[in-house]
Amino acid sequence: RALGLNLSKTKDTKPHEAADLMALLAEDRKLGKGDPAAALEAWLDQTREAFDFRFRKAHHRSFDGLTAVEEGEWRGEFSFVQLADPQLGMLHGDKSWEEEKAMLSLAVQHVNRLKPRFLLVSGDLTNAWPVGPQADPLNAAKQVVAVKEVLREVDSSIPIVLVPGNHDIGQVPTPNELDLYRSRWGDDYFSFWVGGVYFMVLNSQFYMDSSKTENQRKDQDAWIEAQFEALKKRQPKHAVVLSHVPPFIAEPTETQGWANWEVEPRERIVKLAKNAGVRIWLCGHYHGNAVAVDEDLEVVTCAGVGSNINWTANPGVVATSIRPDFEKCVGDPPLLADAQHSGLRVVRLDEDGPRHSWFVLADAPMSLEDAFRQGGGNSPGRKQKRNSEAINNRLGLYGNYQDAFNKPGAR
């Protein structure tokens, strides 16, 4: 790829053959003048930097190419694709991650065909912990490389927006882990604009356990307040918040558990978001679908593009427990990572507000228009029925977990 070669004609090239080719090019001064070894090392450094920069476009709390100057004006409706929890390594406990990598690769093929305005990846790119009592930094680094190998195939015209997940920065992140994440993936919180719509990316792990990052959490809090205050004055067409862990998963006043925020920052930041006109908040983390509302704000928790959990209980019960009782709330098999269960969400923003539709990878739409051709999609702004029964009926990979896993061949 770095040499501009046709990938389809070089896919069977062995590593030692590629190394020999690079050595010959260096000897022939094709990679630069001077000492061949130094030229080769410099060329490799430049190539790695160019390759990685695509994943580090979020810096200085903004995103290259998606600023208010470039994208601050409303230009009409557009769509983007959300992928949640690729989490390479989850299915087999970090012993291998071929299934999750295959599902991510399939999703990328769909994204390249759909040509969304941008691709959102809602956290937990990898499974191995970078820090903590179960830390496995070697596998974590290997999984980072594997994720980048797949995401580099996303069409270069489609920006990739990354949200930090707990597996990316640790359950109890430290400043060192935040620095490691930023070196791999860019800022852990930032804002960007697309076609007159404002987007805010948050580091939700600060609101799960910030015992080792209190100052960093305060910095994000101050930044959030300033952003929302400016937003009320600017009044963009729409405003969207993006985080890995949802602030709440069923009810705004639910107790804190493993899959929602601490109560105090939840109440405070959700209120700020609503007052600033935010109507949709997109998340991941739960490895299943859930939708909840608070007045005009819709919190959408997206099932994974990697492994999904075979939940058999209501997310409002599961997510608010400190640790789920898997024997009581998870079916058999407990995890599923295949094209019939892994999936993506298409989100559209138009004059009336947000709409979104979930698709398993085996049934992804052929075009963005197909995703909403029959009036599909959900939005509180469209005055759809909003009650517990209606929300429960939209849970799971097929709209209801029980129905999904009673299907022939699902187990």
Side-chain angles (χ1 to χ4, degrees):
R1 174 181 290 272
L3 293 169
L5 301 176
N6 187 319
L7 291 181
S8 65
K9 296 181 180 179
T10 61
K11 63 181 180 179
D12 294 326
T13 301
K14 304 295 188 297
H16 71 274
E17 295 173 335
D20 289 344
L21 171 62
M22 300 309 303
L24 288 171
L25 289 172
E27 289 287 347
D28 201 31
R29 303 296 193 274
K30 298 297 185 183
L31 302 182
K33 298 179 179 180
D35 178 63
L40 176 58
E41 184 176 355
W43 183 86
L44 289 172
D45 286 342
Q46 293 170 3
T47 301
R48 282 193 294 266
E49 178 63 25
F51 168 69
D52 279 340
F53 181 71
R54 186 175 188 189
F55 306 111
R56 299 201 310 269
K57 287 195 171 184
H59 59 93
H60 298 97
R61 306 296 172 223
S62 63
F63 193 100
D64 283 353
L66 300 180
T67 66
V69 173
E70 297 157 305
E71 292 284 342
E73 297 300 320
W74 174 249
R75 302 172 186 172
E77 67 178 44
F78 66 88
S79 299
F80 62 92
V81 169
Q82 179 190 17
L83 306 178
D85 299 275
Q87 205 159 333
L88 271 62
M90 178 178 177
L91 186 64
H92 297 301
D94 297 322
K95 295 178 181 178
S96 67
W97 41 87
E98 290 308 308
E99 288 92 336
E100 292 104 334
K101 187 177 180 181
M103 292 304 99
L104 182 59
S105 181
L106 178 56
V108 166
Q109 293 177 44
H110 289 315
V111 168
N112 286 340
R113 182 184 68 255
L114 292 170
K115 292 290 192 297
R117 187 61 182 81
F118 67 92
L119 171 64
L120 166 67
V121 187
S122 294
D124 277 3
L125 296 119
T126 59
N127 185 71
W129 295 104
V131 66
Q134 297 177 307
D136 186 357
L138 181 59
N139 267 331
K142 290 179 179 179
Q143 291 165 5
V144 167
V145 171
V147 171
K148 288 184 175 182
E149 285 178 353
V150 178
L151 290 183
R152 73 181 183 184
E153 299 302 327
V154 174
D155 189 286
S156 60
S157 67
I158 303 171
I160 303 172
V161 176
L162 303 168
V163 177
N166 55 309
H167 280 263
D168 303 317
I169 59 176
Q171 290 285 64
V172 187
T174 69
N176 287 340
E177 275 60 58
L178 293 179
D179 287 343
L180 177 61
Y181 175 86
R182 292 164 184 159
S183 71
R184 288 170 167 171
W185 305 111
D187 277 1
D188 54 320
Y189 65 93
F190 56 95
S191 65
F192 64 99
W193 291 78
V194 175
V197 177
Y198 171 87
F199 293 85
M200 174 186 285
V201 173
L202 298 181
N203 183 343
S204 55
Q205 209 57 27
F206 288 151
Y207 309 121
M208 305 296 287
D209 191 332
S210 61
S211 57
K212 297 181 180 179
T213 51
E214 291 182 6
N215 290 335
Q216 288 81 0
R217 170 174 164 165
K218 290 178 181 177
D219 289 344
Q220 178 173 270
D221 283 346
W223 177 83
I224 289 171
E225 291 181 13
Q227 289 284 302
F228 280 142
E229 191 61 32
L231 207 60
K232 287 191 291 185
K233 297 176 181 178
R234 175 148 188 160
Q235 297 184 336
K237 187 68 174 180
H238 303 297
V240 183
V241 176
L242 311 170
S243 67
H244 177 63
V245 181
F248 57 91
I249 204 164
E251 301 292 339
T253 57
E254 66 195 21
T255 58
Q256 186 193 2
W258 70 276
N260 60 8
W261 290 15
E262 296 169 350
V263 173
E264 186 280 324
R266 177 202 311 168
E267 292 177 345
R268 172 169 47 84
I269 294 173
V270 166
K271 182 179 180 180
L272 289 171
K274 291 194 299 181
N275 289 342
V278 175
R279 293 170 59 189
I280 188 167
W281 189 316
L282 298 170
C283 318
H285 186 60
Y286 181 66
H287 295 269
N289 284 318
V291 178
V293 294
D294 182 1
E295 297 177 343
D296 287 337
L297 173 65
E298 183 179 31
V299 175
V300 181
T301 301
C302 186
V305 69
S307 293
N308 280 307
I309 300 176
N310 185 356
W311 299 116
T312 59
N314 187 298
V317 174
V318 174
T320 55
S321 60
I322 299 301
R323 182 176 178 82
D325 186 341
F326 288 100
E327 291 185 359
K328 294 182 178 180
C329 62
V330 175
D332 180 28
L335 297 174
L336 296 143
D338 57 52
Q340 298 295 334
H341 300 92
S342 306
L344 56 81
R345 187 176 299 275
V346 180
V347 184
R348 171 165 291 179
L349 292 157
D350 60 24
E351 288 285 345
D352 297 323
R355 286 193 288 170
H356 54 90
S357 288
W358 161 264
F359 300 91
V360 295
L361 296 177
D363 193 32
M366 293 303 296
S367 69
L368 293 173
E369 290 69 26
D370 289 339
F372 302 97
R373 194 175 297 281
Q374 296 179 347
N378 309 304
S379 168
R382 297 170 195 279
K383 309 300 182 184
Q384 294 188 348
K385 183 180 179 182
R386 293 275 173 196
N387 55 41
S388 297
E389 181 180 359
I391 292 172
N392 290 342
N393 287 340
R394 290 210 301 273
L395 302 177
L397 300 174
Y398 288 88
N400 183 286
Y401 283 109
Q402 296 291 348
D403 291 344
F405 298 109
N406 286 333
K407 287 180 177 287
R411 290 183 177 272

